[in-house]
């Protein structure tokens, strides 16, 4: 069961890095840096990268 937790955590981190890359590609440098920082911290604080990605998507929706 511990392997599933590590896999989910790794997938969350990779997903956040992909979101960061897409932000950089769209020219949103600050958003990309925020997401990269969240991805780095999510190795220590599980779920932080996912939370940051969700918040970025919600903020984009309301603009």
């Amino acid at each position: 069961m511990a392997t599933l937790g590590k896999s989910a955590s790794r997938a969350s981190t990779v997903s956040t890095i992909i979101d960061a890359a897409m932000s950089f590609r769209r020219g949103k440098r600050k958003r990309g840096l925020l997401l990269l920082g969240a991805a780095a911290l999510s190795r220590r604080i599980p779920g932080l990268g996912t939370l940051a990605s969700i918040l970025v998507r919600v903020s984009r929706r309301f603009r």
Side-chain angles (χ1 to χ4, degrees), residues 2-61:
T3 305
L4 181 60
K6 284 184 180 184
S7 295
S9 177
R10 187 172 293 139
S12 173
T13 302
V14 169
S15 173
T16 305
I17 291 171
I18 291 170
D19 282 344
M22 294 303 291
S23 293
F24 282 122
R25 187 172 182 188
R26 290 183 181 121
K28 305 292 185 182
R29 184 174 180 210
K30 288 181 185 178
R31 186 178 294 162
L33 289 173
L34 172 85
L35 288 167
L36 276 179
L41 287 174
S42 71
R43 301 295 269 166
R44 300 261 186 219
I45 305 169
L48 184 66
T50 303
L51 178 65
S53 292
I54 290 170
L55 289 175
V56 164
R57 289 172 193 237
V58 168
S59 72
R60 236 186 315 183
R61 175 76 67 184

